[in-house]
Amino acid sequence: VAAAAAAAALPRAAIADTTTASGLSYKVIKTGSGGQPAVGDLITIRFKGAVKATGAVFDDIMSSPEGYYFRVGSGQVLPGVEEAVKMMHTGDLWELTIPGKLAFGEKGRSASPGKPRIPSNAEIAFTLELVAVPGKDDELIEVAGDAE
């Protein structure tokens, strides 16, 4: 448990790019102070994803007032995003470089209206913000309560 807590603390202090054992690279752009998600938690994120080699953006909801909700561990997002959110805290903003095997894999993704084709094993540039971890962002509730 202590080793897991120490490992979870490492990304908070990252200044330069850090690469995990799986090959996921991340750089902490902004550090938040909220809760940290675990498998099974319903969380809210905002993100922008692009094919690293071409810069072609395939999804961008960074400026959307409504984030994307998903349950950690459900397989609804790219494996590289799943790995990253488990190390993040609410309010964190990270820049990820997701290797093909943790992104769209061998199959890639065919083009669809308004979205570029993603080649097989393409490396992905991904900006990820952890917006909320309901039930674990207690200090946000306390601050709001103290203001009254």
Side-chain angles (χ1 to χ4, degrees):
V1 175
L10 287 176
R12 317 266 321 132
I15 296 167
D17 286 356
T18 303
T19 302
T20 67
S22 69
L24 173 71
S25 288
Y26 62 89
K27 183 175 183 177
V28 177
I29 304 304
K30 184 178 98 180
T31 302
S33 59
Q36 186 172 20
V39 171
D41 288 342
L42 182 65
I43 66 171
T44 310
I45 61 173
R46 284 196 188 93
F47 56 87
K48 177 181 180 179
V51 178
K52 188 158 186 169
T54 63
V57 174
F58 60 83
D59 219 339
D60 184 357
I61 63 164
M62 288 304 292
S63 59
S64 171
E66 188 71 23
Y68 178 75
Y69 296 82
F70 78 98
R71 194 163 300 281
V72 178
S74 65
Q76 285 181 267
V77 297
L78 300 175
V81 173
E82 284 271 7
E83 182 179 344
V85 296
K86 289 185 248 177
M87 297 186 287
M88 297 175 77
H89 291 257
T90 299
D92 281 2
L93 179 67
W94 289 13
E95 285 182 358
L96 310 176
T97 299
I98 306 174
K101 68 182 179 180
L102 297 177
F104 293 95
E106 285 286 328
K107 291 183 179 182
R109 190 179 77 182
S110 54
S112 57
K115 307 222 182 216
R117 176 183 158 290
I118 300 171
S120 174
N121 288 316
E123 192 173 56
I124 301 298
F126 208 86
T127 302
L128 178 63
E129 177 186 14
L130 181 55
V131 177
V133 184
K136 293 190 177 178
D137 293 337
D138 296 333
E139 65 277 0
L140 299 177
I141 294 167
E142 291 169 17
V143 170
D146 291 344
E148 294 180 335

